Amino acid sequence: MNNKVWIRAALMTLMVGGSLSLTHPTSANPAASSAPSETEQMMNYDEEAAAEQAELQKQAKITKDQSVIIAKKKVAGKVQEVMLDIEDGTVVYNVVIEDKHSQMMEVKVDASTGKIIAVEQSDNDMETVEDME
């Protein structure tokens, strides 16, 4: 009979201990919930970037589509990316176009006036080992 009491006590301890670990899963590893995961960090970055683009869009007087039309008059090719940015205090559309020579060209279009500010080879190009020597 004494064995039955000990078995019940052991079972009760396991049940209570088990329920505590189920109700407080982070108590065993407090560091698990303190730092955001990589996915959460990426989502936060995406949300911040979208908010920044929305704020810059409010300042722009021309649309993204208009900036593409203007940029393609200067550099013919396939548009790869269009992004609003601030350069020297001016809101600009950075329109990245792959030209007929397969070079990535960046056309900077003033988002207020629609004037082309600059045309340059994009930094998106990967440097080869020969380029670095």
Side-chain angles (χ1 to χ4, degrees):
M1 207 162 187
N2 200 9
N3 285 342
K4 287 183 181 179
V5 172
W6 282 107
I7 291 173
R8 284 185 188 159
L11 286 173
M12 291 298 287
T13 303
L14 285 174
M15 288 173 33
V16 170
S19 68
L20 285 177
S21 67
L22 290 175
T23 57
H24 301 290
T26 57
S27 63
N29 187 2
S33 66
S34 62
S37 70
E38 188 174 330
T39 302
E40 290 171 326
Q41 289 175 348
M42 294 287 288
M43 288 173 53
N44 289 341
Y45 174 79
D46 289 344
E47 289 171 4
E48 290 172 10
E52 179 183 353
Q53 288 294 298
E55 185 58 39
L56 291 173
Q57 186 63 53
K58 290 178 188 176
Q59 298 176 40
K61 302 237 186 311
I62 66 170
T63 66
K64 178 179 176 179
D65 291 339
Q66 289 171 319
S67 73
V68 168
I69 291 167
I70 293 165
K72 287 184 83 174
K73 287 179 182 175
K74 191 71 172 177
V75 177
K78 183 178 179 186
V79 175
Q80 299 295 321
E81 180 182 35
V82 181
M83 190 84 133
L84 276 167
D85 202 2
I86 297 178
E87 298 216 3
D88 299 325
T90 302
V91 178
V92 297
Y93 282 99
N94 289 322
V95 183
V96 178
I97 301 173
E98 183 177 357
D99 70 8
K100 64 182 178 181
H101 304 291
S102 297
Q103 290 188 341
M104 301 302 271
M105 302 299 292
E106 187 172 351
V107 182
K108 297 177 186 297
V109 180
D110 186 312
S112 293
T113 65
K115 292 183 180 178
I116 294 176
I117 297 172
V119 178
E120 55 194 31
Q121 192 165 353
S122 177
D123 292 337
N124 292 343
D125 284 351
M126 299 279 294
E127 287 187 342
T128 63
V129 175
E130 294 81 27
D131 292 337
M132 291 188 261
E133 292 177 346

